[in-house]
Amino acid sequence: MSIQIPRGTQDILPGVVEKWQYVEEVAKNLCHAYQYKEIRTPIFESSDLFTRGVGDTTDIVQKEMYMFEDRGGRSLALRPEGTASVVRSFVGNKMFGNPGQPVKLYYSGPMFRYERPQAGRYRQFVQFGVEALGSEDPAIDAEVLSLAMGIYRELGLKQLKLVINSLGDSGSRNAHREALINHFKPRISEFCGDCQNRLEKNPLRILDCKKDRDHELMSSAPSILEYLNDESREYFEKVQRYLSDMDVEFEVDPTLVRGLDYYNHTAFEIMSNAEGFGAITTLCGGGRYNGLVEEIGGPETPGIGFAFSIERLLSALEAEGVNLPINEGIDLFIVSLGDEAKDYAVKLLHKVRREGIASEKDYLDRKLKAQFKAADRCKAKYVAVIGENELKENKINLKDMATGEQEEVNLDHFVDRIKGKLSK
Ligand code: AMP
């Protein structure tokens, strides 16, 4: 009986994995330019971290977490997102005491959510995310947003929409919260069970409900922007001004609320407008989460971050028809004829590989023609042919596959010669 891959997961095979490596490299390089440093945290954490950090009224925690008890009876969860783990590590490693503040971090790794799989939605997916902890300067918000947009732009995506909103500080949020409760309460029985639960616990999340999206009370719900106090409004205006200064285009959408409980002030999403991208258009989401560090047991520390999945990024690239500049070929293929030449090829291959030259040979005792075919399959730039005669004369035939040019190279100088040719 064959065993199937688990639902909502995928194998990333050679031929496709190069795209993953490429986009991850671009994202990492840009993080370096922005001075975000990599952090790697465990794939599983204590379940409490997410119940507290992400919020126990969220779908992620209530319905989607992969939880299990380990053999010692501890309740653990496969991480559904990265921010809570980074904050846990920030607190546990006392990074709040580092002289270099804010602490700017990025991560890349698999996340797990028990969601209904569909295009762009997996049960295991890779999130790339950044977090900036320890600064409440609106310039950091603008920096984080522009970094997210920068990664997409650098990769060649054009049909993007950056949508931002402010959820305000706790004063503004509380005032808005009261207004939302008053707005929905009289008719809450017309809403789904989840929304009824959310009414007192976190009414903002009602605005994010997929089931009740079209209820008439949704569009008339009080907007957070009307409840921002002066400080919050000023903060939001500064973020927008910095974005404009950096020529980062955006739209303000007062209905944007993020799925996780911990956000305040700036919240944002990046969508793809590309035709054929699919029903789920969100590529990236993030926001400010002042208060989360305290929630997880650290000192009061502001923070902001974002996360996007590589899966959706690659779909957007495909939808826009962007070809990534991936080098598929190899530098050299060594064709050998006869036992002695075959043995020599093993030695020579070892030598060139040690010089960093991507090279290959035949391992299936193929005939000459089939070895050339194999070289073609590898998209080799050069093919070197060695037979008994060449060995005797201490030379090798080197062919440039692009031009068809051939030359005899002394075996003692072969490595230098091929290196010289490749460096041109
Ligand atoms: P969230 O953590 O829910 O705010 O999601 C942030 C980003 O992660 C989204 O914009 C997507 O790019 C990505 N994402 C979230 N859930 C999934 C999923 N199930 N499959 C693939 N990507 C996802």
Side-chain angles (χ1 to χ4, degrees), residues 227-274:
Y227 289 84
L228 293 185
N229 53 25
D230 290 348
E231 250 188 329
S232 300
R233 185 171 308 113
E234 218 172 277
Y235 192 97
F236 193 36
E237 278 164 8
K238 272 197 183 155
V239 174
Q240 296 180 55
R241 212 171 58 226
Y242 283 128
L243 286 174
S244 302
D245 288 349
M246 293 190 285
D247 292 325
V248 177
E249 283 176 28
F250 61 88
E251 278 174 29
V252 175
D253 178 355
T255 65
L256 174 76
V257 289
R258 306 263 313 121
L260 317 187
D261 274 359
Y262 49 58
Y263 289 107
N264 44 42
H265 285 294
T266 315
F268 71 98
E269 282 185 354
I270 300 172
M271 332 273 203
S272 169
N273 284 333

Side-chain angles (χ1 to χ4, degrees), residues 113 115 120-122 125 127 258 282-284 307 309 312:
R113 293 185 195 174
E115 294 193 272
R121 187 182 287 152
Y122 299 88
F125 54 99
Q127 268 188 348
R258 306 263 313 121
T282 313
L283 290 180
C284 173
S309 69
R312 281 192 206 167

Side-chain angles (χ1 to χ4, degrees), residues 8 54 60 64 80-83 107 111-128 152 258-260 262-263 268-270 277 280-286 306-313:
V54 180
I60 292 182
E64 297 167 6
E81 58 102 56
T83 306
Y107 59 85
M111 306 293 161
F112 307 84
R113 293 185 195 174
Y114 191 78
E115 294 193 272
R116 197 172 54 78
Q118 63 183 91
R121 187 182 287 152
Y122 299 88
R123 287 185 174 168
Q124 174 173 332
F125 54 99
V126 173
Q127 268 188 348
F128 191 98
Y152 290 137
R258 306 263 313 121
L260 317 187
Y262 49 58
Y263 289 107
F268 71 98
E269 282 185 354
I270 300 172
F277 179 63
I280 304 178
T281 55
T282 313
L283 290 180
C284 173
F306 68 74
F308 64 78
S309 69
I310 308 279
E311 287 83 352
R312 281 192 206 167
L313 165 57

Side-chain angles (χ1 to χ4, degrees), residues 333-337 360-380 383-385 401:
F333 193 98
I334 302 180
V335 169
S336 58
L337 291 165
E360 192 51 292
K361 73 179 283 296
D362 163 64
Y363 292 102
L364 295 178
D365 273 329
R366 290 186 177 96
K367 302 243 164 34
L368 182 68
K369 218 169 134 193
Q371 287 193 46
F372 268 101
K373 259 198 191 151
D376 274 347
R377 257 197 310 275
C378 296
K379 299 197 178 78
V383 175
V385 185
M401 300 305 279

